[in-house]
Amino acid sequence: MNEKALEVLQIIEGDGRVSIQTLAKMVDATEKEVKEILKKLEDEKVILSYSAVIDWSKVEKQEGVTAVIDVKVTPQRGVGFDEVAERIYRFPEVKALYLMSGAYDLSVVIEGKTMSEIARFVSEKLSTIDTVISTTTHFQLKKYKHDGVVFDQGEEDHRIVVTP
């Protein structure tokens, strides 16, 4: 991968909405070259998706519940963790899945409408998989930063400081 392609990746990772024209200026290339770079990166599955970071807490009646579930599993001979990971990530509730080092093998991020919905997912879907030994569920209480974006930086405190 050449240096221009790396530059393009770094820029669009920070802002996926940057225009081709602006991107071309930023990497000192023509618009045609940038389009070709993007097409190649998409075809090679280096760029998988373009997404927006949304603060759902500010959208009325749309805020759900996010949970991180630590999962301990028995790896399968010949396929390791891949087979059980594939089975888990196929559930529509699963937003992210990572193989981890440490006390647990997999970290599953899921979203639901309620805590009960997440509890049902764990008890009826996740824990019923043969190779799953145990789970620990952590509910997200507040999001401070996601994908480099700081949430709810708040307004400045306009109160007058009073000292004795």
Side-chain angles (χ1 to χ4, degrees), residues 55-74:
D55 187 351
W56 287 107
S57 69
K58 294 182 178 177
V59 180
E60 195 173 325
K61 297 183 180 178
Q62 290 298 314
E63 188 174 14
V65 179
T66 301
V68 177
I69 306 167
D70 296 325
V71 184
K72 192 177 284 193
V73 300
T74 304

Side-chain angles (χ1 to χ4, degrees), residues 112-155:
K113 290 186 171 103
T114 64
M115 291 175 118
S116 297
E117 188 176 302
I118 290 175
R120 277 193 304 279
F121 171 82
V122 174
S123 64
E124 296 171 7
K125 295 180 180 178
L126 189 60
S127 64
T128 60
I129 297 173
D130 295 341
T131 55
V132 171
I133 298 169
S134 67
T135 64
T136 302
T137 303
H138 309 273
F139 288 99
Q140 177 183 296
L141 302 177
K142 183 175 182 179
K143 191 181 291 188
Y144 292 102
K145 186 175 182 178
H146 181 79
D147 284 346
V149 178
V150 176
F151 284 67
D152 199 24
Q153 292 183 9
E155 296 178 21

